Each structure stands twice: as structure tokens, then as C-alpha cells.
Amino acid sequence: EIFRKIIDNKPINWKFEDEKNINLNDYIAVRKRLFLEAKNAYANRKPKDGQILMERAKRYQQEIDKIYKKQRINILLNADNNSTNEIDLHGLTLAESKYIIDKKIQALKEKKIEFNLKSLTIVIVTGTGSHSVGHKSILYPNLMEWLKNREKLGVKGNLDKGLIFVT
């Protein structure tokens, strides 16, 4: 029933933001159904219907991508600090990356005090930029500059491997 309402562009009782009534699997199912309906519309020589359905499917894909990104950020922020000091920032924006690094640096400082350690290292994986426009890393140079300007941090990097080491 929900699929028919979406495909017919009838009002439905939830919005993208209302995560209580619809979950990620529902978004994925709706998107798949919309793509299938669009394919059928094109096959039945109804390109305008197909285009409308495809646009709706793309909106659902954008929302799915946002949910995945939010989940990934939460996983990075809530990862057990004892298990790893590596942060993989592939696919995140500069602002998101800085936020996560700030949280990890704070956790690093707390861990140093708690265990009376002289040094711990966070390995930040920025990537080399092979998937970026112009095939240049965006995160690496910006994060290196930002980290070097912070107090009492040891920062080393390897652009060829897209890695930053913070102690």
C-alpha cells in the first residue's frame, strides 16, 4: 500500500525525517520499487512517468546515503577506543572529519592520563584523493594544516598513502 501511495504521489503518513515510522530497509525497498516502476514505465513507452519515478527514486537514494553516513559517523565516534586508534575518513566532509578527530584526540588525551602513558598515536586515513575531483586529496592537506596549528600535537603525514599520524 505504501508503495502505491508513493508511486501515485499520494500523501503518506511519514516524512524522510521521521525515522520512527520508517527504517533504512523501508527506504531501500521503496527505492527499489520506484526504480522497477520507472523501468516498466520506460518499457511501456511512458517516459514522463518513468522520469518522475526515477526522480523520486533518486530522492530516496539521497536519503539512504544520508542515513548510511550518519550511521558511519556514529560508529566512528562510538568505537571502543581501546580496540583501535585508526580513523578512516573516506567519504566524509572536512567539517565531519574535524569533528571526529576532535573527539578522538580528546579520548586519546583521557587514555594517556588514565593509563599514565607517555604517547599514543592516532592513525588518520584520509586517502590519496583518487576518487576526488582532479584526483587530489582534499582532506589530507586541510587536516595536516589544521592539526599542525593545534597546541601540543605531534603531527606527521604520508601523502602517498593518505595517512596522518597524531601523537
Side-chain angles (χ1 to χ4, degrees), residues 26-166:
D26 292 331
Y27 279 116
I28 293 169
V30 169
R31 184 210 55 209
K32 285 180 182 178
R33 181 66 185 262
L34 286 166
F35 276 130
L36 180 64
E37 292 288 331
K39 181 180 174 184
N40 289 338
Y42 284 120
N44 292 325
R45 301 191 190 288
K46 296 180 182 177
K48 286 189 178 188
D49 291 346
Q51 186 177 6
I52 290 167
L53 292 166
M54 191 61 76
E55 287 302 316
R56 289 190 196 135
K58 287 178 184 177
R59 283 198 334 249
Y60 274 85
Q61 184 60 52
Q62 290 168 348
E63 294 304 315
I64 290 166
D65 292 344
K66 286 178 190 176
I67 292 170
Y68 276 138
K69 189 177 231 182
K70 189 187 301 183
Q71 288 175 347
R72 183 159 178 253
I73 289 170
N74 285 334
I75 288 169
L76 285 170
L77 289 174
N78 297 317
D80 178 8
N81 290 324
N82 293 325
S83 64
T84 182
N85 283 328
E86 182 177 301
I87 311 168
D88 186 345
L89 301 175
H90 281 93
L92 299 180
T93 66
L94 183 59
E96 292 163 341
S97 298
K98 286 179 178 181
Y99 178 75
I100 290 169
I101 291 169
D102 267 339
K103 295 291 185 185
K104 284 292 187 178
I105 288 173
Q106 184 60 39
L108 177 77
K109 288 177 181 178
E110 291 170 8
K111 192 188 282 189
K112 279 178 164 180
I113 293 168
E114 181 180 349
F115 296 105
N116 197 24
L117 300 171
K118 290 184 180 178
S119 70
L120 279 174
T121 301
I122 298 174
V123 179
I124 301 169
V125 181
T126 64
T128 59
S130 60
H131 300 290
S132 297
V133 176
H135 300 289
K136 285 188 166 189
S137 178
I138 295 167
L139 291 179
Y140 182 89
N142 287 295
L143 290 175
M144 280 295 286
E145 182 180 337
W146 177 70
L147 287 165
K148 284 181 178 180
N149 290 328
R150 294 180 57 130
E151 296 178 31
K152 300 180 183 178
L153 287 179
V155 181
K156 294 180 183 177
N158 183 331
L159 177 58
D160 292 339
K161 294 186 179 181
L163 299 174
I164 299 173
F165 305 92
V166 179

